[in-house]
Amino acid sequence: MSEREEMASDGSLNVTLTLRLLMHGKEVGSIIGKKGETVKKMREESGARINISEGSSPERIVTITGPTEGIFRAFSMIAHKFEEDITAAMTNSNVTSNPPVTLRLVFPGSQCGSLIGKGGSKIKEIRETTGAQVQVAGDMLPDSTERAVTISGTPQAITQCVRHICSIMLESPPKGATIPYRPKVIPAGAHAVLAQQQAFALPGQYAFAHQDLTKLHQLAMQHIPLPSLGQSNPTFPGLDVSAPTSSQELAIPNDFIGCIIGRQGSKINEIRQVSGAHIKIASATDGSAVRQVTITGSPASISVAQYLISARLSSGLTGLGVL
């Protein structure tokens, strides 16, 4: 991870590091800014190199290289930009507190044990010291030896957290060769399923306000316990689960059904609980590339279930289904 070490003018060790971030296309667009102005400003003010991977995949790798202080400045600027985006999205919302800023880093799996510490002691210490939430994915990202590390909190907490993580990673360099994670382009057959997300923009009695969707998406992406919306949670006042029931069918590619079900059914049960909808996944049929998923409930419950399934699917398609 360390490329060069030299003594800084004050006698401390100054290290050049490279950190890799995994971002959604929308997040990348926010960092780039109009005509690349935002990323240009970040590069100039932080002194770090910020490179964004090319390609048409919904996930991109953002590589930040530079002296440690430059990297921390870059992280602080990125976190503050995301905080601005969240604040703007939640304007006119009746939600009392904004969701935290979330960044996803990618590290060689061989270093993650040091980050977690014996019995989780090190990661617990980082959480308590910085106030940030830190989660290390249990599995490697597809076709790589890297794992995703998700950090959530205020921009200040995130920057402090990155400082701690960098010092741990420097003390424990990666063992053996690292196969870097490269986001995949979405297969053609999956576009139809992802298009389900568009339903939430449709006008109508059960359409969600944009800010409520933003919060719901943040919660879904952060893999933290979701509020039980199926119990008419006041956070989403438009959610009337007592409306007449109906059914909606989705066709999910076989390859991605696992990321919706989760380990021992954990994810599908969470979606059922949060949405208040009844969800049935049909058995695999010979020769079929898709599985039928039937969602039954009030229109609002179906909408929430569809949204959460789409969020799981998009995270699975981009390699984050392991989180």
Side-chain angles (χ1 to χ4, degrees), residues 6 11 19 27 35 77 109 112 148 175 194 215 240 294 309:
E6 58 188 32
L19 292 185
E27 293 171 323
K35 297 181 181 174
M77 293 173 82
C112 289
K175 300 172 187 71
L194 288 177
K215 177 155 188 173
D240 176 14
T294 308
I309 286 171

Side-chain angles (χ1 to χ4, degrees), residues 11-310:
S12 62
L13 193 64
N14 189 25
V15 186
T16 297
L17 294 176
T18 296
L19 292 185
R20 282 154 49 80
L21 283 155
L22 198 50
M23 288 190 192
H24 289 291
K26 193 174 179 184
E27 293 171 323
V28 170
S30 173
I31 294 302
I32 294 171
K34 281 183 183 169
K35 297 181 181 174
E37 285 169 12
T38 306
V39 75
K40 185 178 177 223
K41 187 182 176 195
M42 286 180 178
R43 285 172 179 141
E44 287 169 358
E45 292 187 13
S46 69
R49 289 203 306 277
I50 303 172
N51 292 322
I52 298 159
S53 67
E54 297 295 324
S56 59
S57 68
E59 289 276 338
R60 308 274 279 281
I61 295 284
V62 177
T63 307
I64 303 175
T65 305
T68 48
E69 288 306 315
I71 281 181
F72 302 145
R73 279 195 295 272
F75 265 87
S76 177
M77 293 173 82
I78 288 170
H80 276 101
K81 180 68 178 80
F82 285 174
E83 186 180 53
E84 281 174 28
D85 294 344
I86 290 169
T87 304
M90 305 295 271
T91 307
N92 303 325
S93 167
N94 52 8
V95 178
T96 50
S97 60
N98 285 355
V101 175
T102 300
L103 294 178
R104 292 183 303 276
L105 291 91
V106 184
F107 289 109
S110 58
Q111 290 182 296
C112 289
S114 305
L115 175 57
I116 294 166
K118 195 170 182 181
S121 58
K122 184 54 77 173
I123 203 164
K124 183 169 181 276
E125 181 191 311
I126 293 172
R127 285 174 183 146
E128 288 172 356
T129 308
T130 66
Q133 277 299 314
V134 189
Q135 291 176 304
V136 180
D139 301 318
M140 303 286 185
L141 287 161
D143 305 320
S144 78
T145 57
E146 293 190 307
R147 286 207 239 172
V149 176
T150 308
I151 306 173
S152 299
T154 64
Q156 294 78 8
I158 286 174
T159 308
Q160 280 299 107
C161 188
V162 171
R163 284 179 182 271
H164 282 266
I165 290 173
C166 283
S167 66
I168 292 165
M169 297 306 185
L170 282 168
E171 287 166 15
S172 311
K175 300 172 187 71
T178 298
I179 301 168
Y181 172 63
R182 288 188 175 84
K184 285 189 174 62
V185 176
I186 286 189
H191 281 298
V193 188
L194 288 177
Q196 290 291 341
Q197 292 187 23
Q198 304 307 313
F200 301 95
L202 294 176
Q205 190 180 354
Y206 298 101
F208 283 109
H210 173 70
Q211 61 268 18
D212 287 351
L213 263 191
T214 304
K215 177 155 188 173
L216 190 58
H217 183 70
Q218 283 274 340
L219 293 169
M221 286 291 106
Q222 283 167 22
H223 313 280
I224 59 179
L226 290 154
S228 188
L229 305 182
Q231 332 264 297
S232 296
N233 190 297
T235 312
F236 297 90
L239 206 60
D240 176 14
V241 291
S242 62
T245 59
S246 58
S247 288
Q248 174 78 42
E249 289 205 348
L250 296 177
I252 307 287
N254 284 338
D255 294 351
F256 305 115
I257 205 78
C259 74
I260 288 162
I261 296 171
R263 287 190 187 136
Q264 298 178 323
S266 60
K267 288 296 165 193
I268 194 72
N269 287 337
E270 186 180 79
I271 293 169
R272 284 176 179 134
Q273 185 185 344
V274 171
S275 66
H278 179 77
I279 303 167
K280 185 184 177 194
I281 299 174
S283 303
T285 52
D286 291 341
S288 174
V290 297
R291 298 269 286 276
Q292 287 301 122
V293 176
T294 308
I295 308 168
T296 308
S298 69
S301 293
I302 290 172
S303 289
V304 176
Q306 280 183 326
Y307 184 79
L308 293 172
I309 286 171
S310 293

